[in-house]
Amino acid sequence: MTAKYSSHPAMFKNNPIGFVISVLLIPVFGVGILILLWWYLQTKAARLTVTDTEIIYETGLLNKEHSEVTLSSIRTVRVKQSFFDRIFGVGTIAIYTAGDNPEIIAKGMPDPNKVRELV
């Protein structure tokens, strides 16, 4: 099982304004450091992996949630990017199987069109 794509959500590219504000808040009693640490842990707690046969989405540090979808059961892959998302190369990936609701929603993923092309 070879991983064709494996990534965590982007931190700076996903929300550059929030990143700059957090850095500016560092002198204010270290509030910016706490925000950046919390944000970093949230981005490292999620991972999207595309292999030869399936897509795996894992979330959580202490409590884990693990979703697997086989490539043969995928009906639609939707990529949503705002203007700034397109500039920074990130986006939201929604993977649909049989129902109207997506099985997997991965927000802030780098190079989302690569995932769409792989599937």
Side-chain angles (χ1 to χ4, degrees):
M1 188 162 73
T2 308
K4 295 180 180 179
Y5 176 91
S6 183
S7 184
H8 297 282
M11 190 168 164
F12 169 74
K13 291 180 179 182
N14 193 25
N15 190 355
I17 295 171
F19 186 80
V20 170
I21 290 172
S22 298
V23 170
L24 292 175
L25 286 175
I26 289 175
V28 181
F29 303 111
V31 172
I33 292 174
L34 294 175
I35 293 170
L36 289 172
L37 179 64
W38 176 255
W39 191 6
Y40 176 78
L41 291 175
Q42 283 182 325
T43 58
K44 292 303 174 188
R47 175 180 286 282
L48 181 71
T49 304
V50 178
T51 66
D52 298 330
T53 58
E54 61 190 4
I55 295 179
I56 304 164
Y57 186 58
E58 297 176 289
T59 58
L61 285 175
L62 300 176
N63 297 330
K64 291 281 191 181
E65 183 177 326
H66 186 87
S67 300
E68 292 182 22
V69 176
T70 59
L71 292 180
S72 61
S73 66
I74 294 175
R75 183 174 47 107
T76 306
V77 176
R78 182 173 291 164
V79 174
K80 190 183 335 181
Q81 290 180 299
S82 68
F83 176 72
F84 288 109
D85 287 344
R86 290 181 58 209
I87 289 173
F88 289 111
V90 297
T92 300
I93 302 167
I95 298 171
Y96 293 83
T97 57
D100 292 336
N101 296 326
E103 293 291 322
I104 296 174
I105 299 175
K107 297 180 180 182
M109 299 306 293
D111 201 9
N113 288 314
K114 181 178 180 182
V115 174
R116 184 180 48 80
E117 291 169 4
L118 288 172
V119 173

